[in-house]
């Protein structure tokens, strides 16, 4: 049987703590072996990594794939292109599509659409409530059986405390995590930017940073009451992170992620009415950005997700308050995260843990590891190689990056899905 | 301490000899009912008033029949459409009934504790025929009699009560009675339908039918009220049936000859499959109805005379 021998690579497997210059052998689509003295089996292709990093294919736990209902902004094949460019081989797809993923048949559809790409595994989230309308629980049990990895209403916060309590109680039966968009809806309604001096100068309706901490505090109390598991998505404020830090210390089932804009950009990015930097939650004051970076380093933040939200130019070429929030993120997830390695905030293995093993663990997935026998989902990247982000020239349909023009160090050289190269020089 | 002997307000607090005495007397009434030889003079001259603040057909009819088989004068007060709707309080109703000198007062009410309140204000013996989500003592007695006749006793049995425990007065009465008589009680249902601190009642809690029914001698399905769905506690009937509906597949987790029970009325295809409900080898649901009349005869008989014997001496 033929195979692929990666040699002269720095193998980093955060799941096992492995970090060494060695070789890795792929056979039959799975990782057959790795070590420093691997021979070349007959017929195996040899890839000389020239010292580049080989790690598990990235696991992105927060992606809007555009299907169903938003295909003109992004669809699963186009998202798969952007993902492969970004070294991502597994995504968790948000359910607040049109229609929402509140029926088992839709869960199966998205999984199949992912399989059809041959390059990207799509794990759908199930809608927590019917139509993601925040009223009554969706059929969590049947959605779970169909393959929903966790439950959320996507970009919509689970508002009523009673509903969140019910969801956490009911989901316990399936050991399922509830993913919250932590923003108190009554404080956030109508807001376009973080409340503060900049929003005041621009005359934009504000969303106080406290809207996030309020929801986080409430849900921590409900997790304590119910014994349920809450995951807070794209956490962006110091106050919320402090609450999460304490809840974890208490031993509650609380996890969280953040997205690259929240440790790389601050609210000044919306200056000059740049609607591509209009996100939800909004970009924050720099003190909050620094707190997010610190939480990457101290482990309060478990995972980094792209929070890929495809938007059409027509969604963005509007007066700022009317423009749709959301940024494209698949292509830049690794590069922006590596900036925190280059500036000394976090070591490289810690960065990769937040992009592989941690999201897989939170969602109960078997991917995100270089263990022998695991599917050969692999990313080869040169952490030093420079490139520039250019809106309009990104892979996939969505071009609404908030990082337009940004120079990055760290570029994916190749991506493999189950042993098949899906991105890179020879793909 | 013999506070329950003059009334039957709850199973909780009754002592095993009291429960056994009611079941023993009921047992004798089963045979007499079947042969049409019940003692019609037993409650002659006694008045039984059925005071049902909640709609009920089976329980009211069962009490009516029980009273008539023992010769009582039975009055059904349609309180749902009477003076209560004109604003009369429960205690005013009690005082009115007291003035009528009735002997036995059977009450069903949507509020937990309403029969206990009434019992403090009337001279009649009060029988709780279901109060809110608190207790339904005669249902538990008839369930126990059904099980005892089929399986020979209650000691050491594993009984799985499945479904909406949170809102079920039947479940609460059964938990108290079966535990007192030495059975091991489990409740099985979605976490949203299990009351907080349920383990404190001395029972085991399961959220999975496979684990909850394993080795059970008796499987009791409870009615899922339609309003639980609109209240959001359960997403849909199809999901409920998938995980908690008692069908042949799930029943197979229990002991091979496990009894199937249901307090009625059944939602077929929601909490129980017709194939199971109608299985003559397993289902004792119709027998439960027959036992209901016998148990109520025994309760009326005792309360109209000396009360329920077997309680602790004061």
């Amino acid at each position: 049987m033929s195979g692929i021998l990666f040699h002269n690579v720095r193998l980093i497997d955060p799941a096992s703590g492995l970090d060494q210059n060695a070789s890795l052998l792929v056979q039959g689509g799975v990782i057959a072996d790795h070590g420093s003295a691997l021979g070349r089996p007959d017929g195996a292709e040899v890839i000389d990594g020239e010292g580049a990093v080989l790690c598990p294919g990235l696991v992105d736990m927060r992606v809007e794939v555009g299907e169903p209902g938003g295909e003109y902004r992004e669809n699963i094949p186009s998202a798969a292109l952007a993902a492969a460019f970004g070294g991502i081989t597994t995504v968790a797809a948000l359910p607040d599509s049109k229609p929402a993923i509140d029926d088992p048949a839709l869960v199966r559809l998205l999984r199949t659409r992912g399989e059809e790409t041959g390059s990207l595994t799509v794990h759908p989230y199930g809608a927590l409530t019917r139509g993601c309308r925040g009223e009554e629980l969706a059929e969590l049990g049947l959605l779970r059986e169909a393959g929903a990895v966790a439950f959320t209403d996507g970009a919509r916060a689970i508002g009523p405390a009673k509903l969140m309590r019910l969801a956490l109680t009911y989901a316990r039966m399936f050991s399922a995590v509830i993913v919250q968009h932590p923003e108190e809806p009554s404080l956030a309604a109508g807001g376009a930017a973080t409340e503060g001096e900049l929003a005041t100068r621009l005359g934009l309706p504000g969303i106080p940073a406290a809207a996030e901490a309020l929801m986080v505090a409430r849900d921590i109390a409900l997790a304590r009451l119910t014994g349920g598991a809450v995951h807070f998505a794209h956490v962006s404020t110091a106050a919320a992170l402090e609450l999460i830090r304490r809840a974890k210390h208490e031993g509650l089932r609380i996890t969280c992620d953040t997205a690259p804009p929240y440790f790389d950009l601050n609210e000044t990015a919306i200056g000059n009415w740049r609607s591509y930097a209009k996100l939800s939650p909004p970009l924050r004051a720099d003190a909050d950005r620094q707190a997010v970076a610190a939480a990457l380093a101290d482990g309060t933040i478990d995972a980094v997700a792209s929070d890929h939200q495809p938007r059409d130019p027509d969604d963005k070429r509007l007066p700022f308050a009317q423009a749709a929030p959301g940024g494209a993120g698949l292509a830049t997830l690794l590069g922006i995260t590596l900036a925190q390695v280059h500036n000394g905030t976090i070591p490289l293995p810690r960065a990769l843990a937040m992009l592989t093993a941690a999201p897989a663990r939170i969602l109960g997935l078997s991917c995100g590891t270089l263990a022998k026998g695991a599917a050969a989902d692999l990313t080869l990247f040169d952490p030093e190689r420079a490139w520039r982000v250019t809106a309009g020239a990104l892979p996939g349909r969505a071009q609404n990056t908030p990082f337009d023009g940004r120079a990055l160090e760290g570029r994916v050289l190749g991506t493999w899905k189950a042993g098949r190269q899906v991105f890179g020089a020879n793909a | 301490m013999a506070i329950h002997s003059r009334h039957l307000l709850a199973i909780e607090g009754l002592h095993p000899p009291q429960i056994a005495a009611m079941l023993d007397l009921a047992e004798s009434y089963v045979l007499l009912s079947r042969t049409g030889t019940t003692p019609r003079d037993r409650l002659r001259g006694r008045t039984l008033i059925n005071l049902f603040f909640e709609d009920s057909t089976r329980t009211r009819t069962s009490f009516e029949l029980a009273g008539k088989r023992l010769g009582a004068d039975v009055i059904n007060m349609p309180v749902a459409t009477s003076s209560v709707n004109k604003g009369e309080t429960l205690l005013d109703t009690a005082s009115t009934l007291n003035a009528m000198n009735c002997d036995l007062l059977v009450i069903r009410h949507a509020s937990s504790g309403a029969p206990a309140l009434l019992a403090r204000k009337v001279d009649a013996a009060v029988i709780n025929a279901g109060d809110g989500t608190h207790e339904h003592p005669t249902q538990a007695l008839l369930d126990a009699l059904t099980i005892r006749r089929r399986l020979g006793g209650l000691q050491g049995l594993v009984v799985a009560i499945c479904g909406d425990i949170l809102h079920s007065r039947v479940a609460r009465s059964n938990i108290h009675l079966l535990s007192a008589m030495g059975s091991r009680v489990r409740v099985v249902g979605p976490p949203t339908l299990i009351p907080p601190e349920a383990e404190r009642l001395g029972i085991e809690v399961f959220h999975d039918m496979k684990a909850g029914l394993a080795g059970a001698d008796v499987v009791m399905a409870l009615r899922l009220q339609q309003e639980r769905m609109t209240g959001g506690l359960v997403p849909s009937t199809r999901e409920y049936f998938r995980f908690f509906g008692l069908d042949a597949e799930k029943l197979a987790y229990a002991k091979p000859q496990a009894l199937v029970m249901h307090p009625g009325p059944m939602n077929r295809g929601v909490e129980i499959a017709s194939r199971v409900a109608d299985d003559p080898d397993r289902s004792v649901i119709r027998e439960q109805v027959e036992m209901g009349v016998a148990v109520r005869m025994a309760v009326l008989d005792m309360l109209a005379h000396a009360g329920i014997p077997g309680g602790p001496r004061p």
Side-chain angles (χ1 to χ4, degrees):
Chain A
M1 191 168 58
S2 64
I4 310 169
L5 180 70
F6 292 89
H7 103 114
N8 195 16
V9 289
R10 179 180 170 189
L11 287 181
I12 300 183
D13 181 23
S16 66
L18 174 76
D19 181 0
Q20 68 172 141
N21 293 310
S23 304
L24 181 140
L25 178 65
V26 173
Q27 281 186 316
V30 302
I31 294 165
D33 203 359
H34 49 69
S36 49
L38 289 189
R40 175 188 173 184
D42 289 344
E45 176 193 357
V46 176
I47 293 173
D48 182 353
E50 298 175 354
V53 174
L54 187 67
C55 69
L58 308 190
V59 180
D60 185 348
M61 68 179 297
R62 190 172 179 89
V63 176
E64 184 182 314
V65 293
E67 292 192 33
E71 289 86 349
Y72 72 98
R73 297 187 179 105
E74 190 85 284
N75 63 6
I76 288 174
S78 73
L81 288 178
F85 174 91
I88 298 162
T89 52
T90 301
V91 299
L94 291 168
D96 48 340
S97 46
K98 284 183 179 138
I101 309 303
D102 61 1
D103 190 279
L106 291 168
V107 174
R108 295 193 181 93
L109 172 72
L110 287 192
R111 288 165 57 94
T112 305
R113 290 282 292 155
E115 284 164 19
E116 284 168 2
T117 66
S119 67
L120 183 66
T121 300
V122 175
H123 288 290
Y125 284 108
L128 183 75
T129 64
R130 283 179 196 274
C132 293
R133 284 190 299 271
E135 289 158 11
E136 50 212 299
L137 286 187
E139 295 171 313
L140 306 192
L142 299 177
L143 292 168
R144 184 77 164 165
E145 282 191 327
V149 282
F151 299 99
T152 179
D153 276 354
R156 187 189 174 119
I158 300 142
K162 185 178 177 181
L163 179 66
M164 187 61 169
R165 179 198 183 166
L166 204 61
L168 285 169
T169 304
Y170 194 72
R172 236 177 42 202
M173 188 161 56
F174 315 106
S175 308
V177 177
I178 306 292
V179 177
Q180 173 71 294
H181 167 71
E183 188 174 58
E184 166 53 44
S186 61
L187 284 178
T194 291
E195 192 173 292
E197 180 189 339
L198 182 67
T200 296
R201 287 182 188 281
L202 293 174
L204 290 173
I207 300 174
E212 182 171 278
L214 266 180
M215 193 56 110
V216 166
R218 184 201 79 176
D219 286 353
I220 287 171
L222 291 175
R224 192 182 290 120
L225 174 68
T226 60
V230 182
H231 176 86
F232 296 110
H234 48 215
V235 177
S236 61
T237 63
L241 287 163
E242 184 51 32
L243 291 165
I244 292 166
R245 195 171 283 127
R246 274 188 264 150
K248 288 182 153 192
H249 188 70
E250 189 187 331
L252 299 177
R253 298 173 66 197
I254 300 289
T255 52
C256 74
D257 71 67
T258 193
Y262 303 107
F263 53 77
D264 197 81
L265 300 174
N266 64 30
E267 60 184 343
T268 59
I270 68 167
N272 218 7
W273 315 105
R274 289 188 63 243
S275 64
Y276 277 27
K278 181 178 180 182
L279 306 175
S280 173
L283 290 169
R284 305 295 190 183
D286 201 59
D288 281 320
R289 184 198 64 78
Q290 290 177 37
V292 172
L296 295 175
D298 73 12
T300 303
I301 291 173
D302 297 273
V304 176
S306 72
D307 201 10
H308 183 69
Q309 301 276 341
R311 297 291 176 260
D312 193 69
D314 293 338
D315 300 324
K316 289 288 190 183
R317 285 186 197 133
L318 290 166
F320 193 90
Q322 277 107 59
L330 291 169
T332 50
L333 172 63
L334 178 64
I336 303 284
T337 305
L338 288 177
Q340 296 297 314
V341 175
H342 295 309
N343 73 12
T345 304
I346 46 173
L348 180 57
R350 164 80 187 134
L352 293 179
M354 291 189 286
L355 295 169
T356 58
R361 187 190 69 240
I362 292 164
L363 297 176
L365 305 175
S366 61
C367 57
T369 168
L370 295 182
K372 288 172 196 170
D377 293 358
L378 301 168
T379 296
L380 182 69
F381 69 93
D382 179 347
E384 316 293 338
R385 188 171 304 183
W387 63 292
R388 188 177 294 277
V389 181
T390 308
L394 292 172
R397 288 186 189 169
Q399 300 297 320
N400 54 311
T401 173
F403 301 109
D404 188 22
R406 177 70 192 272
L408 291 177
E409 277 180 275
R411 181 147 199 185
V412 175
L413 305 173
T415 307
W416 285 260
K417 180 73 191 174
R420 196 177 71 87
Q421 189 166 11
V422 295
F423 172 76
N426 305 315
Chain B
M1 277 303 289
I3 187 164
H4 293 290
S5 61
R6 201 169 78 80
H7 306 288
L8 179 61
L9 301 176
I11 297 291
E12 186 173 24
L14 285 181
H15 288 254
Q18 294 180 291
I19 294 167
M22 286 187 278
L23 296 180
D24 290 344
L25 182 58
E27 183 85 52
S28 69
Y29 279 134
V30 174
L31 295 172
L32 295 174
S33 291
R34 284 183 181 173
T35 53
T37 54
T38 55
R40 300 267 170 179
D41 56 347
R42 194 72 187 138
L43 296 182
R44 180 173 297 150
R46 308 295 184 109
T47 308
L48 182 162
I49 295 183
N50 268 331
L51 192 63
F52 277 59
F53 292 88
E54 271 188 347
D55 286 337
S56 159
T57 306
R58 23 205 315 147
T59 306
R60 186 185 55 70
T61 309
S62 183
F63 270 106
E64 184 172 353
L65 204 51
K68 285 180 170 168
R69 282 190 183 159
L70 295 174
D73 298 320
V74 181
I75 312 292
N76 290 315
M77 286 200 40
V79 262
T81 54
S82 76
S83 51
V84 176
N85 275 359
K86 298 172 191 165
E88 188 175 85
T89 67
L90 184 62
L91 290 183
D92 286 339
T93 307
S95 135
T96 307
L97 293 171
N98 216 22
M100 294 176 185
N101 292 321
C102 85
D103 304 280
L104 295 156
L105 194 55
V106 177
I107 173 175
R108 167 168 290 189
H109 199 283
S111 296
S112 302
L117 178 65
L118 207 61
R120 287 203 289 270
K121 297 293 172 188
V122 296
D123 299 324
V126 175
I127 297 142
N128 178 4
D131 61 329
T133 56
H134 173 227
E135 283 224 37
H136 190 354
T138 56
Q139 179 71 43
L141 288 163
L142 76 87
D143 288 339
L145 182 61
T146 309
I147 298 169
R148 208 176 77 160
R149 284 169 55 88
R150 283 287 183 136
L151 302 180
L154 298 167
Q155 182 70 39
L157 296 181
V158 175
V159 181
I161 306 176
C162 309
D164 182 0
I165 312 298
L166 180 64
H167 302 95
S168 178
R169 51 199 179 206
V170 174
R172 283 173 180 73
S173 286
N174 266 308
I175 287 165
H176 295 310
L177 191 152
L178 293 166
S179 302
M181 301 307 278
S183 300
R184 285 170 49 205
V185 181
R186 300 172 180 171
V187 297
V188 192
T192 44
L193 294 178
I194 304 285
E197 311 275 332
E199 294 87 350
R200 303 282 299 165
L201 302 181
I203 55 177
E204 285 182 275
V205 175
F206 294 86
H207 305 307
D208 169 35
M209 290 288 267
K210 187 170 185 176
L213 264 56
D217 298 281
V218 177
V219 182
M220 202 178 280
L222 297 176
R223 180 176 168 78
L224 183 74
Q225 312 269 10
Q226 204 62 35
E227 58 264 31
R228 305 302 166 227
M229 248 85 68
T230 49
L233 295 173
V234 174
S236 70
T237 52
R238 77 167 173 170
E239 173 150 322
Y240 187 81
F241 187 78
R242 165 69 188 83
F243 293 100
F244 297 102
L246 187 60
D247 56 13
E249 186 192 330
K250 298 193 197 80
L251 182 58
Y253 301 135
K255 279 192 182 166
Q257 289 309 313
L259 300 182
V260 171
M261 307 180 73
H262 191 294
M266 287 183 278
N267 289 307
R268 290 169 184 266
V270 179
E271 72 264 0
I272 193 163
S274 285
R275 210 183 123 195
V276 168
D278 302 334
D279 181 348
D281 296 328
R282 312 292 291 277
S283 169
V284 293
I285 294 170
R286 277 172 55 191
E287 204 169 312
Q288 287 174 271
V289 179
E290 183 190 2
M291 295 306 122
V293 180
V295 152
R296 285 162 187 136
M297 289 169 73
V299 169
L300 295 175
D301 184 349
M302 286 181 170
L303 292 181
H305 296 97
I308 304 165
R313 298 183 187 285

